[in-house]
Amino acid sequence: DVKVTQSSRYLVKRTGEKVFLECVQDMDHENMFWYRQDPGLGLRLIYFSYDVKMKEKGDIPEGYSVSREKKERFSLILESASTNQTSMYLCASSIAVTNYGYTFGSGTRLTVV
Amino acid sequence: GQQLNQSPQSMFIQEGEDVSMNCTSSSIFNTWLWYKQDPGEGPVLLIALYKAGELTSNGRLTAQFGITRKDSFLNISASIPSDVGIYFCAGQNSNNNNDMRFGAGTRLTVKP
């Protein structure tokens, strides 16, 4: 089975800190995604990547950046964390050129104080 | 982006009852998918539908791809406590597998 691993389940950071959320997948998937999940808003796409060093903005990229230096790893960066970035962050990966759905990690619950 | 309207937002049911939830879109999709998120975990794929009119079952779960390609529903029969969680619909169009849109989710609570 594909496994998507997010490095932290819970994080508490201070306003203004630079925050790194790490995601690793072990099945050679081309596509990787970062979503944030908020009650009543569902899953909103922040960024995705379809290849190493390639990235595309999703629906809510403001305040975030990403890095994909290796195929298996996709990092989400909050340059200067703010309280409105308190949320559940979900990483996902998928094979390209197919409609088999995405495999999600367990999520990182980030609290910015 | 395309909006998916998922209803109901939440459901409180008794164990043993059947459940029905649906999702509608203003645009057509080529693929509809249903995910379940257990508390504290990421969403897991339950059912994928690839053809208009398709009806697919996975145990006590049944999902249908609407004829218009703008809607889908998910039924759960004879609910049990472990059905608790958030159910998400998702629609997809491209073959690049990178444009999936999600509904806001249906939170299901099952009382024993």
Side-chain angles (χ1 to χ4, degrees):
Chain A
D1 278 353
V2 177
K3 198 162 180 185
V4 177
T5 303
Q6 294 184 231
S7 53
S8 304
R9 291 300 293 264
Y10 299 94
L11 274 180
V12 180
K13 296 291 181 181
R14 295 198 179 274
T15 300
E17 274 192 77
K18 190 168 186 174
V19 181
F20 292 86
L21 303 184
E22 305 288 348
C23 176
V24 176
Q25 50 95 3
D26 64 1
M27 283 298 289
D28 204 37
H29 280 178
E30 293 86 357
N31 296 332
M32 296 190 74
F33 308 83
W34 276 106
Y35 287 87
R36 82 176 262 178
Q37 180 180 12
D38 299 289
L41 297 178
L43 305 178
R44 292 182 293 166
L45 182 63
I46 304 171
Y47 268 97
F48 72 94
S49 167
Y50 54 89
D51 201 351
V52 175
K53 295 196 187 294
M54 306 304 289
K55 61 185 180 185
E56 294 282 346
K57 291 180 181 179
D59 297 321
I60 51 163
E62 296 79 19
Y64 304 94
S65 61
V66 290
S67 171
R68 193 158 181 209
E69 296 296 318
K70 293 184 179 181
K71 191 174 186 180
E72 67 270 19
R73 186 180 295 269
F74 192 34
S75 303
L76 179 69
I77 303 154
L78 287 65
E79 295 289 340
S80 176
S82 63
T83 54
N84 63 13
Q85 292 179 309
T86 291
S87 187
M88 168 72 95
Y89 289 88
L90 290 164
C91 174
S93 73
S94 74
I95 305 170
V97 199
T98 186
N99 287 348
Y100 292 162
Y102 299 172
T103 301
F104 284 86
S106 296
T108 296
R109 185 163 291 284
L110 172 67
T111 302
V112 182
V113 298
Chain B
Q2 294 166 308
Q3 294 290 327
L4 293 191
N5 298 307
Q6 186 172 350
S7 64
Q9 262 193 328
S10 60
M11 301 182 78
F12 296 83
I13 62 168
Q14 206 71 38
E15 183 177 0
E17 287 183 7
D18 296 344
V19 171
S20 187
M21 58 192 79
N22 69 78
C23 212
T24 60
S25 169
S26 56
S27 306
I28 62 173
F29 285 112
N30 293 327
T31 303
W32 280 95
L33 307 101
W34 286 91
Y35 289 83
K36 184 197 177 197
Q37 184 179 28
D38 288 324
E41 298 296 329
V44 172
L45 183 65
L46 296 173
I47 291 179
L49 303 153
Y50 300 108
K51 201 166 137 183
E54 180 181 353
L55 187 72
T56 297
S57 292
N58 178 5
R60 293 178 295 106
L61 277 61
T62 302
Q64 183 154 32
F65 190 142
I67 290 289
T68 65
R69 292 165 66 195
K70 291 184 178 181
D71 62 332
S72 177
F73 73 73
L74 175 70
N75 285 345
I76 306 172
S77 62
S79 58
I80 59 178
S82 62
D83 289 336
V84 162
I86 303 175
Y87 292 79
F88 291 99
C89 62
Q92 188 169 352
N93 267 334
S94 79
N95 288 327
N96 290 327
N97 206 21
N98 59 19
D99 67 343
M100 195 174 298
R101 315 303 297 184
F102 288 87
T106 295
R107 184 180 291 274
L108 179 64
T109 303
V110 180
K111 292 178 273 188

